[in-house]
Amino acid sequence: MAELINARELRFAPDILNVISPLFYYMGYIAARISVRSYDQAVYFLRQFVWPILIATPLALGQSLGNPGITQLVLAVAPGAGATRRLENDGLTRATGLVGHWTGFGAYAVCVVAAAVALLIISKHLGLRRPRLALVTLLAAAMCVISTLTLSVAVAALAIVLCCWRSAGLGRQLLIAAGVLSATASVVFGSLIQARVDQQFTDRVSRISWLPDWVPDTLNYRARIWTEQTIPMVQDRPLTGWGTNLYEGVYLGLEGQRVYPTQLLWHSPESQWLGSAMTFGLFGLCAQVVLLLAIAHLLISAHRERDSMLIARPILMLFVMSILVATTVPVFTNRGFPMAFWPLLGVLTGIYLSGSRSARNSAD
């Protein structure tokens, strides 16, 4: 409804496919939910879920290290305006993988981290041999996260592992893996990581006077975008927003008849919450918050149930970290996170509902 109202008032063609795109993610959730009803089935599902990261890893490494052949291949399969612009301007290369953007690719890799940890937890609980695939994909996903040079997704991945390492049986293996990962990252990405750090604290492009010096540049420029552009634009149309494909006009050229906000300069709202308010207004933002509250209730309830607690812990941690990351990244509506998160949520729901149903039948 917000899109139709905006299209009429702002004179643009409504993008119905964009509006209904969450239905495709919901189909993935339903497919996983009706397919997985036990931990044995979850193990099989998660094994198939995590292994594609092994294909993404060499592509991410090649792209971040500047291999021209791999870079052109990645951009041909999954083009992204930000990655193309950085390549043309010789900017700091950040892996976008087959997602098209570094934050979306990093968010997908974090979902794989959660899935690999869940696989380790379930295998330990069932008394199965520790799956090597889970360990390998966990390391591969961590390398993909590092290759994006995105602090928020790196913190999210680390938090999931640290929260679940004991239940996953990661003791000595975690220390060894951390050592190998640190050594590899310092050798492969050392110069890139140093350049990224210098970019945040030395070669600043933005500086907000009311923020202290220890705040990195990535938050400085977001604060400037929010205060100078995004928040004033939300205030101009608070109820229904400005419609879909608003920011694409910065790159692809403004539609001739469409009404745009005069403050629109940057290509992203740099926040999930402000982005939802910009696109669909407070109506859309409130609907999204209600949906996230429903997901939170499901995850907390599943974590309290003995039958679903094992797989609920890493997914709950994934959700909590994603809520925090969403402050500075439109994580729930990017290309990488939803396609991975919703099937994982479906697996958890299938096990949770099966356990609840079995408990009710036993009580009867």
Side-chain angles (χ1 to χ4, degrees), residues 2-80:
E3 177 74 351
L4 295 177
I5 293 173
N6 290 331
R8 179 175 57 85
E9 295 182 352
L10 303 177
R11 300 195 300 272
F12 66 91
D15 189 348
I16 302 302
L17 182 61
N18 189 316
V19 172
I20 67 172
S21 61
L23 293 178
F24 297 104
Y25 303 134
Y26 185 69
M27 291 177 186
Y29 161 80
I30 292 297
R33 172 177 163 176
I34 65 178
S35 301
V36 178
R37 297 303 180 95
S38 67
Y39 278 123
D40 290 332
Q41 293 172 338
V43 167
Y44 179 81
F45 180 95
L46 293 173
R47 283 174 177 170
Q48 312 309 314
F49 182 90
V50 299
W51 73 260
I53 198 71
L54 301 178
I55 299 176
T57 303
L59 296 177
L61 295 178
Q63 185 184 11
S64 60
L65 296 177
N67 183 284
I70 293 180
T71 300
Q72 293 300 327
L73 173 63
V74 169
L75 293 180
V77 176

Side-chain angles (χ1 to χ4, degrees), residues 38-283:
S38 67
Y39 278 123
D40 290 332
Q41 293 172 338
V43 167
Y44 179 81
F45 180 95
L46 293 173
R47 283 174 177 170
Q48 312 309 314
F49 182 90
V50 299
W51 73 260
I53 198 71
L54 301 178
I55 299 176
T57 303
L59 296 177
L61 295 178
Q63 185 184 11
S64 60
L65 296 177
N67 183 284
I70 293 180
T71 300
Q72 293 300 327
L73 173 63
V74 169
L75 293 180
V77 176
T84 302
R85 188 178 72 255
R86 284 175 176 266
L87 184 63
E88 294 173 347
N89 298 334
D90 294 325
L92 184 63
T93 305
R94 303 170 69 178
T96 60
L98 297 181
V99 174
H101 196 276
W102 47 85
T103 52
F105 178 56
Y108 162 73
V110 173
C111 290
V112 175
V113 169
V117 170
L119 183 56
L120 288 170
I121 293 175
I122 296 172
S123 299
K124 178 185 176 184
H125 173 73
L126 297 181
L128 303 176
R129 187 176 60 181
R130 187 186 306 276
R132 294 181 181 178
L133 178 63
L135 295 173
V136 172
T137 54
L138 186 59
L139 289 175
M143 292 297 293
C144 288
V145 167
I146 295 174
S147 69
T148 66
L149 301 179
T150 305
L151 179 61
S152 57
V153 295
V155 171
L158 182 62
I160 293 171
V161 173
L162 292 180
C163 180
C164 305
W165 70 273
R166 187 182 298 274
S167 54
L170 292 173
R172 183 188 310 168
Q173 294 87 349
L174 181 61
L175 294 177
I176 296 175
V180 172
L181 185 63
S182 300
T184 304
S186 62
V187 172
V188 177
F189 300 109
S191 59
L192 295 176
I193 294 175
Q194 184 60 51
R196 181 66 172 154
V197 173
D198 293 340
Q199 189 182 69
Q200 297 303 309
F201 298 101
T202 304
D203 306 325
R204 292 178 180 267
V205 296
S206 299
R207 185 71 182 89
I208 303 297
S209 58
W210 46 268
L211 288 177
D213 292 337
W214 55 265
V215 176
D217 188 68
T218 185
L219 294 181
N220 269 275
Y221 91 81
R222 279 179 168 85
R224 172 163 292 173
I225 291 168
W226 294 337
T227 56
E228 296 179 1
Q229 297 182 41
T230 314
I231 294 177
M233 288 188 286
V234 171
Q235 291 174 336
D236 288 342
R237 288 184 61 85
L239 295 182
T240 60
W242 291 89
T244 58
N245 302 320
L246 178 68
Y247 288 96
E248 283 75 2
V250 178
Y251 284 128
L252 304 179
L254 305 181
E255 299 178 45
Q257 300 299 319
R258 180 168 182 167
V259 178
Y260 284 89
T262 57
Q263 306 95 328
L264 182 62
L265 296 174
W266 191 242
H267 60 87
S268 171
E270 301 297 346
S271 168
Q272 180 67 70
W273 320 122
L274 291 177
S276 298
M278 276 291 297
T279 305
F280 298 120
L282 295 179
F283 289 150

